[in-house]
Amino acid sequence: MLKEADLTFIQTVLTFWDHLNQHQKTMLLENAMPVKYKRGENVHRGENDCVGVLLIKSGELRTYILSEDGRDITLYRLGPDEICILSASCILENITFDVHIDAEKDCEVLLLKSSVFQQICNENIYAENFSYKSMIDRFSDVMWAMQQILFMSFDKRLTIFLLDEVARTGSNTIVMTHEQIAKYVGSAREVVSRMLKYFENEGYVNLSRGKIEVIDKVQLKEII
């Protein structure tokens, strides 16, 4: 059962809402439901899974692909007020690779039924444009992730990640394990640990259990 706050949230996140007719609005609301995911829970398991379109109220989702040897490569992360369409990959005909989605934090989302979202996009050009724009934005994130993995040295990739986290959270302290960071930057935990230790020896960061404190952003930026 949707609450009044959920309706307001849908109207804010789905920017095409005012361009829907009454039947489409009713259909969308009748096929939306609140769902909670616990940290570490798998939300979407690949091309044979079709959870639906996720509107993220709180928490964080990580989208990634798996290599043949089982190593995962993070494509992007999504937070509050963002929408995840790849969780409804069954309606995306040109998506031919397996995408996995996990909850990185406890999440509250509104889940829209895939077939209903697809029907509305087929009927309404504003909804269709919204869907395309969302996919283009995510594709840009994917290309940026691939560019870093393929063409950047690891010290630069790790530096970019640290600085991005500081900017994203507004805190110089990053509360993450080396294993988590390895997943985000597409590397092994041992490699992350060695590079972070080097950064600590150079005076760029302070390391403690489950935390990295960035203490010299100026010198880190010099690496990039």
Side-chain angles (χ1 to χ4, degrees), residues 13 48 62-63 69 74-75 83 86 111 114 117 135-136 162 171 196 199 209 218:
V13 175
N48 295 323
R62 180 175 74 101
T63 301
D69 60 0
T74 299
L75 301 179
I83 181 172
L86 281 181
L111 176 61
S114 300
F117 186 79
M135 289 302 301
I136 290 171
L162 295 176
S171 171
L196 284 175
F199 284 175
R209 187 175 181 83
V218 174

Side-chain angles (χ1 to χ4, degrees), residues 37-43 60 64 101-106:
Y37 297 107
K38 291 292 186 181
R39 178 181 178 182
E41 185 175 350
N42 180 255
V43 177
E60 185 176 282
Y64 61 96
I101 302 170
D102 288 350
E104 288 293 280
K105 300 177 181 177
D106 290 346

Side-chain angles (χ1 to χ4, degrees), residues 141-184:
D141 292 337
V142 170
M143 291 304 296
W144 172 236
M146 293 300 101
Q147 179 182 342
Q148 290 186 67
I149 292 171
L150 294 174
F151 303 118
M152 285 188 183
S153 60
F154 182 70
D155 59 341
K156 290 184 178 181
R157 285 161 50 198
L158 183 57
T159 299
I160 290 172
F161 174 81
L162 295 176
L163 294 176
D164 282 350
E165 279 299 301
V166 167
R168 188 177 69 88
T169 63
S171 171
N172 287 332
T173 301
I174 300 170
V175 184
M176 287 185 190
T177 65
H178 295 187
E179 182 69 32
Q180 287 175 299
I181 295 175
K183 290 182 178 180
Y184 292 145

Side-chain angles (χ1 to χ4, degrees), residues 31-211:
N31 289 276
M33 61 181 294
V35 178
K36 294 182 179 180
Y37 297 107
K38 291 292 186 181
R39 178 181 178 182
E41 185 175 350
N42 180 255
V43 177
H44 180 79
R45 293 183 296 275
E47 66 177 357
N48 295 323
D49 198 6
C50 199
V51 176
V53 177
L54 302 175
L55 309 183
I56 306 170
K57 296 175 63 179
S58 64
E60 185 176 282
L61 298 177
R62 180 175 74 101
T63 301
Y64 61 96
I65 56 176
L66 288 173
S67 65
E68 291 184 358
D69 60 0
R71 183 167 61 92
D72 54 52
I73 299 174
T74 299
L75 301 179
Y76 55 82
R77 288 178 286 166
L78 297 173
D81 299 331
E82 294 188 296
I83 181 172
C84 183
I85 292 183
L86 281 181
S87 51
S89 56
C90 58
I91 67 174
L92 304 172
E93 296 179 359
N94 293 325
I95 299 296
T96 58
F97 54 90
D98 289 346
V99 175
H100 301 260
I101 302 170
D102 288 350
E104 288 293 280
K105 300 177 181 177
D106 290 346
C107 294
E108 291 188 19
V109 308
L110 291 181
L111 176 61
L112 306 182
K113 191 174 181 180
S114 300
S115 59
V116 171
F117 186 79
Q118 182 180 37
Q119 181 179 339
I120 291 175
C121 287
N122 290 339
E123 297 174 353
N124 188 289
I125 190 171
Y126 295 98
E128 183 181 41
N129 287 343
F130 175 88
S131 177
Y132 285 150
K133 184 180 183 302
S134 297
M135 289 302 301
I136 290 171
D137 289 343
R138 299 289 76 83
F139 181 70
S140 178
D141 292 337
V142 170
M143 291 304 296
W144 172 236
M146 293 300 101
Q147 179 182 342
Q148 290 186 67
I149 292 171
L150 294 174
F151 303 118
M152 285 188 183
S153 60
F154 182 70
D155 59 341
K156 290 184 178 181
R157 285 161 50 198
L158 183 57
T159 299
I160 290 172
F161 174 81
L162 295 176
L163 294 176
D164 282 350
E165 279 299 301
V166 167
R168 188 177 69 88
T169 63
S171 171
N172 287 332
T173 301
I174 300 170
V175 184
M176 287 185 190
T177 65
H178 295 187
E179 182 69 32
Q180 287 175 299
I181 295 175
K183 290 182 178 180
Y184 292 145
V185 298
S187 186
R189 180 188 59 80
E190 295 80 4
V191 177
V192 171
S193 297
R194 284 198 298 269
M195 189 58 68
L196 284 175
K197 189 63 179 178
Y198 169 76
F199 284 175
E200 183 178 46
N201 291 337
E202 292 296 310
Y204 306 156
V205 302
N206 278 335
L207 303 180
S208 58
R209 187 175 181 83
K211 294 181 181 180

